[in-house]
Amino acid sequence: MQILDSQAVKEQLTMVVAIDAIERLLVLQSEHPEWVKCPERLVIPTFTASDKNSGSHLSMPSVLFDGKEEFAIVKLVTICPDNPKRNLPTTTAVVTVSNNDTGEILAFMDGVYVTQVRTAALSGIASKYLAKPDSEQVAVIGCGGMAYEQLNAVLTVCPNIKAVTLWNRSLEGANTFKSKFAEQYPQWPVTFDICEDIASAVKDADVINLATRATEGLFELSEIKADAHINAVGAYQPEMKEVSDSVIEACSHVVIDDAPGGRHEAGDLIQADSANDCDWTWDNLTGDLADLVTQKITIEHDKKGVTLFKSVGAASFDAAVALEVAQKAKLVDHYHHYKL
């Protein structure tokens, strides 16, 4: 069994690798739905009976068959809202990858980076199809741990972006993000502008990345460009909300990564659907990410309007990325043994 710590995972996992793995999964799932088994995740709220900030513990299993072999991949996640104050990641996770023929555990790996990269890769895939090809500016709203790879993903698929605006609840968080991103991702020669308010950050953005725990819409339709694309990865519980109803009901396309999971977890869309003064309902959902990748949905960029990608995550996405990491690490290990 391979034991892969965070550094070992990072050595095998790039954004291009993650995007490619998930796109292949989505095509596989469309062509052979029975080959991808992904039951609804088990979510256990934590610390609801104490005075601590409540978080959650998740168990996310998935089984993938690639036409030759079948694998079971399970991610265990703990979400700790107080961790940023401790200089620790909000989300901690581990992943196991097993071969279902023999039951052999192929890898046990740190899941924090897997989670960050797979979540971001979903935004990257959505931006690849929904954002304007000539997008030049991206706004990052919420500068926590998820925001780094989410920006990396958008820059990977939108190579014309040169300007990034930042907003965070604390100015310190935005400044930390600016310096860390420039240091950790030197391949992107972008300029950063830290904004004191959200309206300033989003007003000229072609792509808007949201990763917050907000409980009400962060901006209105009148505050953004008429053809902006939004990636919303926060608001992962029904009572949370990042995207206002005025934006949602005006979107030409609303795409979600996992439609069944979204009906229970996508706070933005759940609240829009139930609001009496909002015209958007689940019937207006354009489709899911697989529909974009397989081109069941096509976008006319010259008249696309505002587009929204809502991500709630699914175990199958983690499975595709973790399996790729395990297989790449095994090849590297075999190569080193051969050299010896």
Side-chain angles (χ1 to χ4, degrees), residues 136-140 151 155 160-166 174 177-179 181-182 185-195 201:
E136 296 181 348
Q137 182 170 316
V138 58
V140 174
L151 177 56
L155 295 176
N160 294 323
I161 289 177
K162 294 292 182 283
V164 179
T165 53
L166 304 175
F177 181 92
K178 176 181 176 179
S179 59
F181 191 90
Y185 305 85
Q187 69 269 35
W188 303 122
V190 294
T191 61
F192 290 93
D193 180 20
I194 296 175
C195 301

Side-chain angles (χ1 to χ4, degrees), residues 5-116:
D5 62 12
S6 178
Q7 185 56 40
V9 172
K10 289 181 179 180
E11 288 172 2
Q12 307 304 328
L13 183 57
T14 66
M15 185 54 63
V16 172
V17 166
I19 288 174
D20 181 63
I22 292 173
E23 288 205 272
R24 282 188 281 110
L25 168 79
L26 293 171
V27 172
L28 180 75
Q29 200 165 10
S30 296
E31 295 177 349
H32 303 282
E34 72 280 7
W35 288 10
V36 180
K37 299 179 179 68
C38 185
E40 189 172 338
R41 78 193 80 187
L42 173 65
V43 181
I44 304 173
T46 59
F47 287 112
T48 55
S50 76
D51 57 358
K52 294 187 177 183
N53 281 336
S54 61
S56 52
H57 178 76
L58 296 78
S59 176
M60 302 172 63
S62 185
V63 171
L64 303 183
F65 179 60
D66 63 7
K68 295 180 180 179
E69 295 183 284
E70 186 180 87
F71 303 91
I73 301 96
V74 181
K75 186 174 79 166
L76 299 175
V77 184
T78 305
I79 298 175
C80 307
D82 290 331
N83 266 6
K85 301 174 186 176
R86 307 177 179 117
N87 200 29
L88 294 170
T90 301
T91 302
T92 64
V94 294
V95 184
T96 60
V97 179
S98 304
N99 183 304
N100 281 352
D101 187 30
T102 64
E104 177 190 5
I105 297 178
L106 304 178
F108 178 85
M109 69 183 73
D110 183 278
V112 174
Y113 193 62
V114 169
T115 302
Q116 291 173 345

